[in-house]
Amino acid sequence: MTTLLVEAAVMVLMYLCSDISLGIIGSLLLSQLIVLVPTVLFLLGTRTDPVRLIAHNRPKFTTALLVVVFTFLCMPAIIAVNAFSMLFVDNEVAGLQSYMLSVPWWQILLMVGIVGPISEEFVFRGVIYHGYKTSHRFVGSMLLSALLFGLTHLNFNQMSYAVLVGVVSVLLLEGSGSIFYSMLFHICINTTNVVQMLVQKAQGSIMSREESMAYIEQTMQMPYKQALAVSVSVYAVIAAGAAALAGCLFYLIVKKENRVQHMQQLLHGTAGEEKTKLVSVPLVISVVLCLAYMTADVFWG
């Protein structure tokens, strides 16, 4: 909740002080500090040991390789959700490509591909999810931590697939018994996107949003929204097939890490466990404020 309020407040402040420019690296660094600082203060204030709180079994090389393959099997679903959201809102990342590629490649690769995923997994799958997990409501804790992760992006486009990434990351964390694998999953996704942008830059094929829309209309010989709807349908079919394979690979990871019984207990619960509430009034207020900001940004941003 604190993270959402801090981020929303900073975004409003930056909007009011629009003449202040942090640069793309400064903005990315600020976005990570916004989620990290409240989390660290929470750990210090509650004297919580993150090493004891967060599952972090030592990673295995073979399992890591399976997670990499699993990640790429999940990519079509992420692309499909992103494309679906673009039927209603703009692609926020595409609009930032020119700014992101204006700095040395290693800086953007480091910040977006490595630092961002590690800090976000530590905060959302590490501290926030494990905190909610004490309620003994696995599904609710997973969905709520994923929702909060999506909301921190403060736009509906990134939120759509961030929620999906959040859900899969929790499943991977619990299925493998280590946050290192959810970090690897997140790193692979972000690094792939950065490398794709760098390749497009090298080929001189980076387009503005308007140029991209015109190119799609010209290539598919139909209006942009209609072409996008066709693309979503195609991606959805591919995503369904890839998701089935990813599910099989996930089961293999769970079995390899001897976590089958653990996952069954999470899904079905343990007799005698006292479940506590997940949702609070301050949390609802924070979510509503973030949604209000995002909605205002769509119509008046």
Side-chain angles (χ1 to χ4, degrees):
M1 180 197 72
T2 304
T3 297
L4 292 177
L5 288 175
V6 170
E7 184 161 4
V10 170
M11 292 295 289
V12 171
L13 182 62
M14 291 180 67
Y15 176 78
L16 295 175
C17 304
S18 55
D19 55 328
I20 300 176
S21 177
L22 297 175
I24 186 64
I25 296 299
S27 297
L28 291 171
L29 183 60
L30 177 62
S31 69
Q32 296 308 315
L33 290 175
I34 286 171
V35 298
L36 273 175
V37 171
T39 303
V40 171
L41 291 177
F42 165 79
L43 292 174
L44 293 174
T46 58
R47 297 184 179 180
T48 301
D49 183 0
V51 175
R52 298 185 63 181
L53 175 68
I54 304 169
H56 62 284
N57 294 337
R58 193 168 75 174
K60 302 173 184 175
F61 179 73
T62 51
T63 303
L65 287 179
L66 291 175
V67 169
V68 172
V69 178
F70 172 81
T71 303
F72 286 102
L73 288 174
C74 292
M75 290 293 285
I78 296 171
I79 294 172
V81 172
N82 179 39
F84 179 77
S85 73
M86 288 166 58
L87 290 170
F88 310 99
V89 293
D90 292 333
N91 186 327
E92 295 293 332
V93 175
L96 293 173
Q97 278 188 345
S98 59
Y99 299 103
M100 295 174 70
L101 294 174
S102 64
V103 299
W105 65 270
W106 63 269
Q107 292 183 13
I108 202 68
L109 187 62
L110 178 65
M111 288 301 302
V112 176
I114 300 176
V115 174
I118 290 175
S119 66
E120 289 168 1
E121 289 303 310
F122 172 76
V123 171
F124 292 98
R125 258 62 69 185
V127 178
I128 293 178
Y129 165 69
H130 279 89
Y132 284 137
K133 188 182 172 184
T134 58
S135 68
H136 302 295
R137 297 178 183 273
F138 166 65
V139 175
S141 300
M142 175 177 64
L143 294 177
L144 186 54
S145 63
L147 174 63
L148 295 180
F149 175 56
L151 284 172
T152 55
H153 292 80
L154 288 179
N155 66 80
F156 288 109
N157 171 243
Q158 287 179 286
M159 174 186 168
S160 64
Y161 54 84
V163 169
L164 175 59
V165 169
V167 169
V168 176
S169 292
V170 168
L171 290 173
L172 197 54
L173 182 154
E174 292 290 0
S176 66
S178 178
I179 195 172
F180 295 123
Y181 295 120
S182 70
M183 287 179 175
L184 178 60
F185 171 72
H186 201 158
I187 287 171
C188 287
I189 292 172
N190 283 26
T191 300
T192 299
N193 291 332
V194 173
V195 170
Q196 183 180 7
M197 284 193 295
L198 292 171
V199 170
Q200 290 177 339
K201 179 183 179 182
Q203 295 175 340
S205 56
I206 295 291
M207 300 182 188
S208 65
R209 184 178 295 139
E210 293 73 18
E211 291 172 336
S212 179
M213 291 172 63
Y215 175 78
I216 291 173
E217 290 181 343
Q218 183 179 3
T219 302
M220 299 190 70
Q221 295 295 305
M222 60 181 69
Y224 173 72
K225 292 291 185 180
Q226 185 179 347
L228 196 57
V230 172
S231 299
V232 170
S233 302
V234 173
Y235 282 133
V237 173
I238 298 173
L245 294 175
C248 295
L249 197 57
F250 175 72
Y251 178 76
L252 180 61
I253 292 171
V254 174
K255 191 172 182 180
K256 185 177 184 300
E257 296 296 319
N258 298 315
R259 304 278 291 181
V260 175
Q261 186 177 359
H262 172 77
M263 292 301 295
Q264 290 173 343
Q265 289 177 344
L266 281 179
L267 292 171
H268 301 296
T270 302
E273 283 183 339
E274 183 180 352
K275 297 182 178 181
T276 57
K277 291 194 304 182
L278 279 173
V279 179
S280 63
V281 173
L283 176 64
V284 172
I285 293 174
S286 301
V287 171
V288 170
L289 288 175
C290 284
L291 291 174
Y293 172 86
M294 291 158 60
T295 303
D297 186 58
V298 170
F299 291 100
W300 301 292

